[in-house]
Amino acid sequence: MNRILDLTALELGRQIRAGAVSVPEAVQAALERIAQVEPDLNAFVTVDGDRAMEQAGRVQRRIESGELTGPLAGVPVAVKDNLCTKGLKTTCSSRILENFVPAYTAQAVRKLEEAGAVILGKTNMDEFAMGSTTETSYFGQTRNPWNRDHVPGGSSGGSCAAVAAGECFLALGSDTGGSIRQPSSFCGVTGIKPTYGTVSRWGLIAYGSSLDQVGPVAGNISDCAAALEAISGHDPRDSTSMDRKDCDFTAALQDDIRGLRVGLPRDYFGEGLDPEVQKAVLEAAQTLREKGASVEEFDLGLVEYAIPAYYVIASAEASSNLSRFDGVKYGYRTPDYEDLHGMYKRTRSEGFGPEVKRRIMLGSFVLSSGYYDAYYLKALRTKALIKAEFDKAFKRFDVILGPTAPGTAPLLGSSLSDPLKMYLGDIYTISANLAGLPAVSLPCGLDSKGLPIGVQLTGDCFREKEIIRAAYAYERTRTWEKPDLTAAGTDAAGKGERI
């Protein structure tokens, strides 16, 4: 392995500032890794090496002049393909946006570039972020670096697989119902969904506007905290953006959790949870207890209503958001049509995949006359009740700990045939989006097949520092494990490389 690729994002940043490594050297190392593993993984939709090397040269000169001094200056990163990038294709992994090149850059990406990060390319995802496996992409499925026969999770599966495989040092994803945390769990990396409104959604192609939030994926919590610090902040172009004064998230990287109150929801440890996942997550809770936290079980109500409420709300918002993709102004337009109505119909039929069509139809149904009150309004009331349950829990606890997903990464092709089963895989992550809460997933072990297990820490609104502190304290007790990229298929399982 190239020695540069052994470094974390913050370690690389320090070496670049010290002159031990140049930015072009770091970017070249990442591009070589991408060329090596992409034929197997398909974690990227677009890689622009020439653009990245040009940017690397500019960043190097700004570092040498003293203009760029931040911790991420010169670090090669990747961006999920639903975040707009000026002059670089943004497809949402959909045929309907196959050749769309935005005229502007999303605020979160812009802030990362202002911090000196170098954009390598755009990562694969479930089409329009609708899926949990990164198998619904028009550009082909992404494979899990730990075992190519398994999915990486979704919808930010490309970002998480790229970080796990060492193709980039950190990546941006989006999280609507667990789309950063669940693939982080499946790929053995760390991912944060911040409090709703912490990171601007301007330039993020919307799925469910009241649920979407941009966040970072990296190999450890320190890199995630630094990236989140870089991309957070008020943006007047996003009406939901919060003007926060406490975005110094790296200040929470302290190995001291004495007195931290950790809650374990009994509802999360019942039927449907893989015994190996339960064992690893409970061992993580015990580790926090041994480091000085108090850990207590409690009942968190309304968990069973989270998935139906989420899919009603998200699909309703998606049906509205995706109505703009009609072949008129940008994106794909069918070549075979006779009139305007026919063009709309054929363009959308040919441009959207099955999962996107399913959610558009569901959303249109629940918003239709006669069903609006019965489904959509009821889901909104359920969302408010779920938020009230969490408010009650956070009067007793600082952090809620549980599994990120009910199991480890399933086999490729085993989920799409049963959409309901795929939806149920988000049972532990969805509530944080409905309630607008911050949550982080980080690795807590491997199962008997050698696949990563993730533990999730959820905090109260605007209390990211609590979950970062708990994650950092737990992480200090473990060694980050990486997949063996020389193995393939079933043989890859169980061959993690410790660094």
Side-chain angles (χ1 to χ4, degrees):
M1 179 186 286
N2 187 306
R3 66 179 181 84
I4 293 174
L5 299 178
D6 288 339
L7 303 172
T8 68
L10 290 179
E11 288 170 348
L12 175 61
R14 284 193 288 270
Q15 293 219 7
I16 289 172
R17 292 194 302 279
V21 177
S22 73
V23 182
E25 284 176 336
V27 171
Q28 186 61 42
L31 291 172
E32 288 174 1
R33 170 56 63 85
I34 290 170
Q36 173 195 352
V37 303
E38 267 307 282
D40 235 4
L41 295 184
N42 195 33
F44 281 84
V45 171
T46 302
V47 177
D48 192 337
D50 292 341
R51 175 188 172 118
M53 290 303 293
E54 287 177 14
Q55 189 179 3
R58 291 195 300 271
V59 169
Q60 181 69 42
R61 291 190 290 273
R62 293 176 66 196
I63 291 171
E64 290 171 353
S65 69
E67 184 182 348
L68 280 175
T69 59
L72 298 179
V75 174
V77 304
V79 174
K80 187 175 179 179
D81 207 25
N82 60 348
L83 284 156
C84 288
T85 42
K86 183 178 181 179
L88 188 62
K89 277 201 307 184
T90 301
T91 71
C92 283
S93 290
S94 177
R95 184 185 187 188
I96 210 160
L97 287 177
E98 181 179 5
N99 294 308
F100 173 58
V101 180
Y104 62 95
T105 296
Q107 177 71 352
V109 180
R110 182 188 301 180
K111 287 178 76 71
L112 207 52
E113 288 183 313
E114 288 173 353
V118 178
I119 308 299
L120 298 169
K122 310 298 287 295
T123 55
N124 206 1
M125 55 184 282
D126 283 297
E127 185 182 5
F128 280 101
M130 298 181 191
S132 304
T133 62
T134 313
E135 292 177 285
T136 68
S137 169
Y138 176 66
F139 302 102
Q141 63 195 14
T142 297
R143 295 176 180 270
N144 192 316
W146 289 85
N147 187 322
R148 317 299 198 277
D149 295 333
H150 291 253
V151 306
S155 63
S156 305
S159 289
C160 294
V163 171
E167 296 178 281
C168 58
F169 291 84
L170 62 89
L172 292 185
S174 66
D175 194 309
T176 307
S179 289
I180 288 174
R181 291 160 288 150
Q182 183 253 33
S184 292
S185 174
F186 286 179
C187 291
V189 295
T190 300
I192 295 181
K193 183 205 91 70
T195 304
Y196 184 77
T198 296
V199 179
S200 171
R201 291 184 298 109
W202 191 80
L204 170 67
I205 297 176
Y207 164 19
S209 303
S210 72
L211 305 166
D212 297 339
Q213 190 65 184
V214 180
V217 176
N220 60 64
I221 191 64
S222 300
D223 290 353
C224 275
L228 182 58
E229 194 169 298
I231 64 176
S232 297
H234 178 62
D235 181 3
R237 292 165 299 189
D238 176 4
S239 62
T240 63
S241 174
M242 300 295 295
D243 188 8
R244 295 183 57 176
K245 309 298 183 187
D246 61 340
C247 292
D248 55 334
F249 300 116
T250 51
L253 298 170
Q254 301 176 15
D255 189 12
D256 182 5
I257 55 169
R258 287 172 294 181
L260 188 77
R261 301 169 299 167
V262 178
L264 291 178
R266 294 186 185 92
D267 320 67
Y268 285 8
F269 295 93
E271 185 180 355
L273 180 62
D274 185 296
E276 291 186 276
V277 173
Q278 178 169 325
K279 181 175 182 289
V281 170
L282 291 177
E283 285 175 354
Q286 179 59 28
T287 299
L288 294 183
R289 181 182 283 116
E290 291 168 358
K291 290 182 73 73
S294 64
V295 180
E296 182 184 341
E297 292 186 0
F298 75 106
D299 293 314
L300 181 64
L302 302 175
V303 170
E304 68 269 31
Y305 300 113
I307 286 180
Y310 168 81
Y311 278 100
V312 168
I313 294 168
S315 297
E317 294 180 3
S319 70
S320 175
N321 283 324
L322 270 61
S323 64
R324 72 194 70 179
F325 303 110
D326 55 14
V328 175
K329 291 185 177 179
Y330 47 77
Y332 171 79
R333 178 186 293 182
T334 182
D336 182 20
Y337 63 92
E338 295 181 355
D339 55 23
L340 183 63
H341 180 74
M343 189 274 287
Y344 285 153
K345 186 175 180 179
R346 290 186 68 90
T347 293
R348 290 170 66 81
S349 294
E350 295 168 9
F352 290 134
E355 183 62 30
V356 174
K357 290 176 185 174
R358 182 183 294 117
R359 299 194 194 195
I360 288 173
M361 288 190 292
L362 174 60
S364 299
F365 173 76
V366 302
L367 289 176
S368 61
S369 177
Y371 295 100
Y372 184 88
D373 290 355
Y375 293 103
Y376 186 63
L377 285 185
K378 188 176 289 185
L380 290 180
R381 286 194 290 269
T382 303
K383 177 184 177 183
L385 291 172
I386 290 171
K387 176 65 167 66
E389 284 294 318
F390 276 101
D391 289 344
K392 188 165 65 175
F394 284 119
K395 290 178 180 178
R396 295 176 56 194
F397 304 107
D398 302 307
V399 171
I400 293 173
L401 183 149
T404 306
T408 52
L411 287 164
L412 289 161
S414 65
S415 299
L416 294 186
S417 60
D418 187 355
L420 186 58
K421 183 179 179 181
M422 180 175 70
Y423 299 165
L424 290 171
D426 297 331
I427 189 167
Y428 303 123
T429 53
I430 276 173
S431 294
N433 297 84
L434 291 172
L437 304 171
V440 58
S441 175
L442 64 159
C444 66
L446 302 174
D447 71 2
S448 56
K449 298 187 292 290
L451 294 168
I453 299 170
V455 59
Q456 179 176 235
L457 301 169
T458 305
D460 201 359
C461 286
F462 309 116
R463 301 298 295 272
E464 282 88 353
K465 291 182 182 179
E466 299 284 11
I467 59 173
I468 290 171
R469 185 161 63 101
Y472 184 74
Y474 174 71
E475 191 179 80
R476 300 279 289 179
T477 69
R478 293 188 54 80
T479 303
W480 184 32
E481 294 169 283
K482 278 189 171 184
D484 178 1
L485 297 175
T486 63
T490 306
D491 294 333
K495 294 190 177 179
E497 175 187 356
R498 292 182 179 271
I499 63 169

